């Protein structure tokens, strides 16, 4: 990118030519089934991930192979069932790369080599109930992949709110820069947490619930309607989005 900008400043390229070069270098096309944004990490600080859900398995495998052939960065695959993970292991060869699969979060990280990462910040991750842990674990994998230490505390929701206070106090004492709070049912926990802390809170509504709360819409609406300041809300079950947003916050300084 620096070379292209220098050529633009020196008059060797016009704006349209520079734009076309940047666009062409950003996209890696896989047999017309996918266009992978290989320069996303340089622009945003976090590489693009593959969303596995609903993709044909053969297409998914081809995307993974082409990415690994053309990129040295770690590869993240989200919403990947355990059965598909086992097929990927068989097709790629379990000794060909470093595979780290979180069964609860249904997320896979494929590495070409193990890298020692310097911890850039601490992020707190909280769930209202045990049923929300799968979403929280997705967020945890993402923030750790981005170089943060995740401090977690699960099942401390408003049904037994006395459990919350010592965990919040511990996380603040540890210096967390942001809190990710996952909750289903009535979705009240992020509002409670935001009223207790002076760091940003990311509310993650989960699809845990029944009756009017089924599917997570009540939790989503409650978090969006919160009267406590300092809350941002991502989509239902979007632990990945919460993790990336937390990284955006800690990397903003």
């Amino acid at each position: 990118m620096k070379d292209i900008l220098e050529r633009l400043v020196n008059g060797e390229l016009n704006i349209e030519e520079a734009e076309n070069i940047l666009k062409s270098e950003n996209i890696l096309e896989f047999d017309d089934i996918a266009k992978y944004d290989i320069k996303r990490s340089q622009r945003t600080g976090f590489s693009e991930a593959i969303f596995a859900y609903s993709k044909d398995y053969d297409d998914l495998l081809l995307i993974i192979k082409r990415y690994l052939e053309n990129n040295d960065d770690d590869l993240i695959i989200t919403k990947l069932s355990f059965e598909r993970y086992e097929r990927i292991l068989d097709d790629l060869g379990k000794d060909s790369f470093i595979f780290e699969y979180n069964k609860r979060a249904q997320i896979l990280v494929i590495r070409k080599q193990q890298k020692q990462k310097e911890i850039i910040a601490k992020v707190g991750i909280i769930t209202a109930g045990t049923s929300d842990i799968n979403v929280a674990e997705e967020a945890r994998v993402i923030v750790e992949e981005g170089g943060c230490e995740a401090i977690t505390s699960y099942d401390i929701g408003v049904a037994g709110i006395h459990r919350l206070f010592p965990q919040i106090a511990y996380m603040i004492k540890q210096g967390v820069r942001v809190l990710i709070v996952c909750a289903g049912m009535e979705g009240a926990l992020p509002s409670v947490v935001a009223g207790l802390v002076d760091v940003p809170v990311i509310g993650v509504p989960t699809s845990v619930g029944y009756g009017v709360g089924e599917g997570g819409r009540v939790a989503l609406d409650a978090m969006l309607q919160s009267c406590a300041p300092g809350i941002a809300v991502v989509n239902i079950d979007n632990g990945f989005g919460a993790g990336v947003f937390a990284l955006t916050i800690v990397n903003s300084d």
Side-chain angles (χ1 to χ4, degrees):
M1 183 180 294
K2 183 177 180 181
D3 176 65
I4 295 169
L5 291 174
E6 286 179 347
R7 292 167 63 191
L8 176 63
V9 170
N10 293 334
E12 299 173 25
L13 298 172
N14 60 40
I15 292 178
E16 184 175 327
E17 289 171 335
E19 181 183 24
N20 289 337
I21 293 172
L22 288 171
K23 285 181 178 179
S24 66
E25 290 187 349
N26 281 353
I27 302 300
L28 180 62
E29 186 168 345
F30 302 145
D31 299 344
D32 203 33
I33 63 165
K35 296 174 178 61
Y36 203 96
D37 187 353
I38 59 176
K39 297 296 181 66
R40 182 184 294 266
S41 61
Q42 294 181 19
R43 299 194 318 273
T44 68
F46 196 83
S47 60
E48 189 173 20
I50 297 173
F51 179 66
Y53 184 76
S54 79
K55 281 186 173 64
D56 179 84
Y57 177 76
D58 290 337
D59 290 344
L60 175 63
L61 183 62
L62 179 61
I63 293 169
I64 293 170
K65 286 181 175 179
R66 293 292 185 269
Y67 177 90
L68 293 172
E69 288 169 1
N70 293 276
N71 205 312
D72 290 326
D73 289 340
D74 298 340
L75 176 60
I76 298 172
I77 306 167
T78 67
K79 306 302 182 188
L80 180 73
S81 68
F82 182 71
E83 292 73 23
R84 282 188 160 194
Y85 162 62
E86 289 188 314
R87 289 183 67 183
I88 289 170
L89 274 184
D90 289 339
D91 289 328
L92 293 182
K94 64 179 181 180
D95 296 323
S96 56
F97 302 99
I98 300 169
F99 296 90
E100 296 178 7
Y101 182 70
N102 186 307
K103 190 174 181 180
R104 248 180 173 162
Q106 292 195 318
I107 189 168
L108 171 64
V109 180
I110 303 177
R111 310 183 195 280
K112 290 188 175 180
Q113 58 183 340
Q114 196 69 48
K115 302 174 184 175
Q116 189 67 32
K117 294 184 178 180
E118 182 179 350
I119 301 300
I120 60 173
K122 296 179 181 180
V123 175
I125 305 177
I126 295 170
T127 73
T130 304
S131 299
D132 306 310
I133 291 177
N134 61 324
V135 177
E137 281 292 287
E138 184 178 61
R140 182 183 66 80
V141 171
I142 296 304
V143 299
E144 290 179 346
E145 182 65 17
C148 288
E149 176 185 347
I151 301 176
T152 62
S153 187
Y154 298 155
D155 192 29
I156 55 172
V158 297
I161 202 166
H162 59 283
R163 301 170 296 177
L164 172 66
F165 304 122
Q167 301 301 322
I168 289 291
Y170 173 75
M171 289 184 180
I172 295 302
K173 186 176 181 180
Q174 288 296 308
V176 297
R177 293 277 306 282
V178 58
L179 284 162
I180 297 172
V181 184
C182 306
M185 303 295 282
E186 83 289 2
L189 187 59
S191 293
V192 175
V193 172
L196 297 171
V197 301
D198 62 352
V199 298
V201 173
I202 303 171
V204 188
T206 70
S207 53
V208 175
Y210 55 89
V212 296
E214 186 175 2
R217 185 56 195 256
V218 166
L220 172 63
D221 289 345
M223 294 180 195
L224 291 172
Q225 188 62 43
S226 175
C227 64
I231 294 180
V233 183
V234 297
N235 204 357
I236 298 168
D237 290 339
N238 190 11
F240 173 83
V244 173
F245 187 41
L247 292 173
T248 302
I249 291 172
V250 302
N251 285 310
S252 61
D253 290 345

